[in-house]
């Protein structure tokens, strides 16, 4: 009921003032609700588990749903379509307990025998005889013991010239080319530092302390120069070769994450720069992961890196990615789901709408789990995935889109649920496009998993000192994460390429040194 209708004789200016107050009150009420949601979400993000899994059911098991929750009278129910989707087989139970130690580790036998007086039977006093043995294994990892290579180059001179000539020539035996000429570090030392920092997340100052405990005085500055020098001299060549391989892939994942560089021209130390990350499809036979350092987050950076690329690009909804032309854009369903997950956490149990959307998205992931299952005879993986998506995912997406359009007119745009609905509707053509291609992924999780080691390391080393260090980090992280994607042990790989690259001339073919080719050449 209009409150002003009870007071028809009020002057127009008073009525206008009351209307303005009512409008302002509605705006403040909406703002209070939004701030309350943000507060509840902040509390959950700080104190609750960070996993996005549903507490009431496993994320991918969309069929194992609870009875439909009671909805408010103004809530539009979201009923999933009946497509005959089969249930997933229960996951295999993981064996608990201690795992056996690797069989290929060398064993050293330590024998424990009874004393002579203990080899007498306590019952009849007869002599005991040995009937067997009990064996238990214990892992022994001693601290590494470094050593020093002494490169001895024999020199030869001419006695005749020494006695009769004006000058006497001296000939020295040649040494193989070294990764960093004049440095005390060999390929294994550089590889150890690189693996420690970029694979294990150990900052250089901690490695400095570890080496100091065994009497080796190496400063973090020296080790930092090793990283930059080896990257610029050698590893950059592998990076460029992997870049060419990536641009030939039919699908590329893209994402970006922040990084802080203390000494960067024209920027304050507290400002943020970015690592742009690109990755081939998980199913690629030549997997590549590339980090690229850039001072900003503008659209010019992916445009330059992916110049002339004409394949499929999977990203989140950041607008800079959408400016790339000539590519087929895909949107990340996990990113869209994250908005609804945050809304559900902030709303608590009072509002069920965000949970309804999560249930529908879980059905989409249920289809993806089915597609990764046993392959029927006569089908390729892509054809089988496409068929399942057309049969089960497309109807779910249709129902979800209708529900989003209906809810858009009923939720507050500035609420967390409103923001989730707005994001999903704005990105819908990209989010739903994956169903047209059996090779297309549903989300961008592959590259997000590759960013995680970088963010974990960033918590330890916090920042890069210089732009050169940030660029070197991008190159080394690219090799580390590509090794992981190829199943290659990074230390052994870095030892190999840092020994081999100094022997290769500029412009030489390096494809045999790329991680996916190295993986095929290593004897298991």
């Amino acid at each position: 009921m209009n409150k002003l209708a009870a007071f028809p004789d009020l002057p127009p200016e008073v009525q206008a003032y009351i209307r303005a107050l009512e409008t302002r009150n509605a705006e403040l009420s909406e703002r209070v609700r939004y701030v309350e949601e943000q507060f509840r979400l902040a509390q959950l993000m700080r104190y609750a588990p960070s996993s996005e899994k549903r507490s009431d059911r496993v994320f991918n098991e969309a069929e194992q749903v609870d009875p439909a929750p009671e909805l408010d009278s103004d809530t539009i129910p979201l009923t999933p379509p009946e497509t005959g989707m089969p249930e997933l087989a229960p996951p295999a139970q993981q064996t608990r307990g201690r795992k056996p130690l690797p069989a290929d580790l060398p064993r050293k036998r330590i024998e424990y025998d009874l004393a002579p007086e203990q080899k007498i039977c306590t019952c009849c006093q007869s002599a005991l005889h040995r009937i067997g043995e009990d064996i238990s294994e214990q892992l022994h990892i001693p601290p590494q013991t470094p050593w020093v290579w002494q490169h001895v180059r024999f020199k030869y001179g001419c006695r005749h010239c020494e006695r009769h000539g004006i000058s006497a020539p001296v000939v020295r035996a040649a040494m193989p080319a070294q990764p960093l000429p004049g440095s005390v570090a060999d390929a294994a030392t550089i590889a150890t530092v690189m693996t420690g920092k970029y694979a294990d997340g150990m900052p250089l100052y901690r490695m400095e302390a570890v080496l100091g405990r065994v009497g080796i005085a190496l400063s973090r500055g020296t080790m930092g120069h090793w990283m930059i020098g080896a990257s610029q001299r050698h590893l950059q060549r592998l990076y460029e070769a992997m870049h060419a391989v990536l641009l030939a892939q039919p699908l590329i994942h893209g994402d970006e994450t922040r990084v802080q560089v203390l000494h960067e021209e024209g920027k304050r130390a507290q400002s943020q720069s970015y690592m742009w990350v690109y990755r081939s499809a998980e199913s690629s036979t030549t997997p590549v992961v590339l980090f690229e350092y850039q001072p900003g987050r503008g659209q010019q950076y992916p445009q330059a890196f992916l110049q002339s690329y004409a394949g499929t690009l999977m990203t989140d909804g950041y607008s800079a990615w959408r400016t790339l032309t000539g590519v087929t854009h895909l949107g990340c369903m996990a990113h869209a789901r994250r908005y609804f997950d945050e809304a559900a956490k902030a709303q608590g149990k009072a509002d069920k709408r965000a949970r309804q959307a999560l249930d529908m998205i879980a059905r989409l992931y249920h289809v993806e789990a089915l597609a990764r299952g046993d392959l029927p005879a006569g089908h390729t993986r892509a054809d089988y995935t496409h068929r399942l998506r057309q049969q089960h995912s497309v109807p779910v997406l249709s129902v979800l889109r209708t529900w989003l359009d209906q809810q858009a007119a009923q939720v507050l745009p500035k609420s967390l649920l409103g923001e989730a609905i707005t994001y999903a509707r704005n990105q819908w053509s990209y989010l739903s496009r994956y169903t047209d291609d059996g090779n297309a992924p549903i989300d961008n999780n592959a590259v997000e998993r590759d960013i995680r080691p970088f963010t974990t390391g960033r918590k330890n080393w916090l920042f890069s000192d210089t732009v050169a260090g940030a660029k070197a980090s991008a190159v080394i992280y690219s090799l580390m994460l590509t090794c992981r994607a190829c199943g290659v042990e990074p230390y052994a790989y870095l030892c190999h390429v840092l020994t081999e690259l100094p022997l290769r001339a500029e412009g030489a073919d390096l494809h045999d040194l790329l991680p996916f080719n190295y993986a095929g050449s290593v004897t298991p």
Side-chain angles (χ1 to χ4, degrees):
M1 177 181 176
N2 187 354
K3 295 179 180 179
L4 291 176
F7 304 96
D9 298 331
L10 289 176
E13 58 272 16
V14 176
Q15 295 187 16
Y17 180 70
I18 293 174
R19 290 191 184 94
L21 286 178
E22 290 178 339
T23 302
R24 179 61 176 163
N25 182 61
E27 292 175 351
L28 289 175
S29 297
E30 179 179 344
R31 178 64 180 169
V32 167
R33 283 192 292 269
Y34 179 72
V35 171
E36 287 177 342
E37 285 186 341
Q38 293 290 345
F39 175 75
R40 286 194 294 269
L41 181 61
Q43 292 291 93
L44 287 169
M45 293 180 68
R46 181 173 184 179
Y47 298 112
S50 59
S51 173
E52 293 180 10
K53 288 185 178 181
R54 300 287 301 279
S55 60
D56 54 346
R57 66 189 67 95
V58 179
F59 175 55
N60 280 335
E61 294 179 349
E63 298 302 317
Q64 300 178 7
V65 295
D66 294 337
E70 295 182 5
L71 302 176
D72 300 333
S73 58
D74 59 345
T75 300
I76 301 172
L78 181 54
T79 305
E82 181 54 53
T83 62
M85 191 189 318
E87 293 187 5
L88 284 172
Q93 292 291 331
Q94 294 186 352
T95 56
R96 297 179 179 271
R98 181 186 298 172
K99 294 180 173 59
L101 297 175
D104 57 342
L105 289 180
R107 263 68 174 171
K108 291 187 177 181
R109 184 180 175 96
I110 305 176
E111 296 181 345
Y112 304 92
D113 201 356
L114 296 175
E117 62 272 15
Q118 293 176 307
K119 298 180 181 180
I120 304 297
C121 178
T122 58
C123 297
C124 66
Q125 306 304 309
S126 299
L128 299 179
H129 68 282
R130 192 165 70 177
I131 59 175
E133 58 188 23
D134 293 329
I135 298 177
S136 61
E137 295 194 328
Q138 188 178 52
L139 184 63
H140 175 62
I141 305 178
Q144 292 185 351
T145 304
W147 68 82
V148 177
W149 291 113
Q150 285 190 333
H151 296 280
V152 181
R153 302 170 62 188
F154 291 122
K155 300 188 296 184
Y156 291 85
C158 176
R159 293 195 183 279
H160 181 270
C161 292
E162 289 172 359
R163 295 171 180 172
H164 307 289
I166 299 176
S167 62
V170 176
V171 181
R172 293 178 178 85
M175 274 180 59
Q178 298 299 305
L180 297 175
S183 171
V184 298
D186 69 348
T189 302
I190 299 171
T192 297
V193 176
M194 285 184 175
T195 305
K197 178 175 181 180
Y198 296 100
D200 302 329
M202 182 182 290
L204 295 182
Y205 76 87
R206 291 185 191 170
M207 279 189 262
E208 179 182 355
V210 170
L211 292 170
R213 289 201 296 270
V214 294
I216 301 175
L218 278 177
S219 70
R220 69 197 76 174
T222 296
M223 289 185 281
H225 286 303
W226 293 350
M227 303 301 97
I228 296 173
S231 172
Q232 292 177 344
R233 280 174 169 266
H234 307 298
L235 303 184
Q236 181 68 32
R237 299 163 65 189
L238 294 176
Y239 182 93
E240 292 168 359
M242 291 194 299
H243 188 191
V245 172
L246 181 72
L247 294 180
Q249 304 273 350
L251 183 140
I252 294 177
H253 293 264
D255 204 351
E256 75 284 338
T257 188
R258 60 180 177 82
V259 64
Q260 186 178 0
V261 179
L262 295 185
H263 300 97
E264 187 168 13
E265 186 177 355
K267 297 183 69 174
R268 297 185 303 114
Q270 295 81 6
S271 62
Q272 295 295 336
S273 299
Y274 287 86
M275 285 288 187
W276 294 77
V277 189
Y278 306 85
R279 193 201 197 283
S280 56
E282 286 189 285
S283 60
S284 174
T285 57
T286 55
V288 172
V289 182
L290 293 182
F291 282 66
E292 186 196 30
Y293 167 78
Q294 290 294 354
R297 203 175 175 225
Q299 65 188 38
Q300 67 271 26
Y301 303 121
Q303 288 175 351
F305 193 87
L306 297 178
Q307 186 178 12
S308 75
Y309 181 67
T312 301
L313 182 63
M314 161 59 81
T315 64
D316 59 24
Y318 178 44
S319 58
W321 295 108
R322 303 292 183 237
T323 63
L324 274 74
T325 59
V327 301
T328 300
H329 288 279
L330 296 178
C332 175
M333 187 64 70
H335 204 79
R337 183 194 181 277
R338 198 164 296 140
Y339 282 98
F340 287 105
D341 183 70
E342 292 177 354
K345 290 176 179 177
Q347 290 169 347
K349 297 181 179 180
D351 193 332
K352 308 294 185 182
R353 289 175 292 182
R355 287 174 175 77
Q356 288 182 292
L358 290 173
D359 286 341
M360 295 296 283
I361 295 174
R363 289 181 173 271
L364 299 175
Y365 277 91
H366 183 103
V367 178
E368 299 305 302
L370 290 172
R372 293 191 297 270
D374 294 336
L375 190 64
H379 288 75
T380 65
R381 182 64 64 183
D383 290 340
Y384 181 56
T385 301
H386 180 261
R387 180 170 67 83
L388 287 175
R389 288 173 174 175
Q390 291 297 310
Q391 181 180 354
H392 303 297
S393 300
V394 170
V396 172
L397 288 166
S398 177
V399 171
L400 180 58
R401 178 57 198 257
T402 301
W403 181 85
L404 291 172
D405 293 340
Q406 292 170 338
Q407 289 294 326
Q410 300 189 17
V411 301
L412 297 173
K414 291 299 293 182
S415 66
L416 288 175
L417 179 58
E419 292 176 350
I421 290 174
T422 298
Y423 179 87
R425 295 179 73 222
N426 290 342
Q427 296 291 320
W428 190 257
S429 61
Y430 309 119
L431 292 173
S432 58
R433 189 172 289 160
Y434 78 98
T435 59
D436 297 330
D437 183 358
N439 289 312
I442 188 175
D443 56 35
N444 208 26
N445 284 351
V447 74
E448 290 191 5
R449 285 192 294 269
D450 287 327
I451 288 178
R452 198 167 297 134
F454 173 82
T455 57
T456 300
R458 186 178 60 199
K459 292 178 182 178
N460 291 322
W461 45 259
L462 300 178
F463 52 79
S464 292
D465 189 52
T466 64
V467 171
K471 291 182 176 180
S473 294
V475 171
I476 301 169
Y477 266 118
S478 299
L479 289 171
M480 289 291 178
L481 273 301
T482 301
C483 281
R484 189 177 78 165
C486 298
V488 169
E489 201 284 311
Y491 169 77
Y493 173 76
L494 288 172
C495 283
H496 176 69
V497 297
L498 288 173
T499 301
E500 185 65 25
L501 281 169
L503 308 177
R504 303 280 182 103
E506 289 292 330
D509 182 23
L510 303 178
H511 275 72
D512 62 306
L513 298 181
L514 299 184
F516 43 82
N517 290 328
Y518 174 83
S521 65
V522 175
T523 302

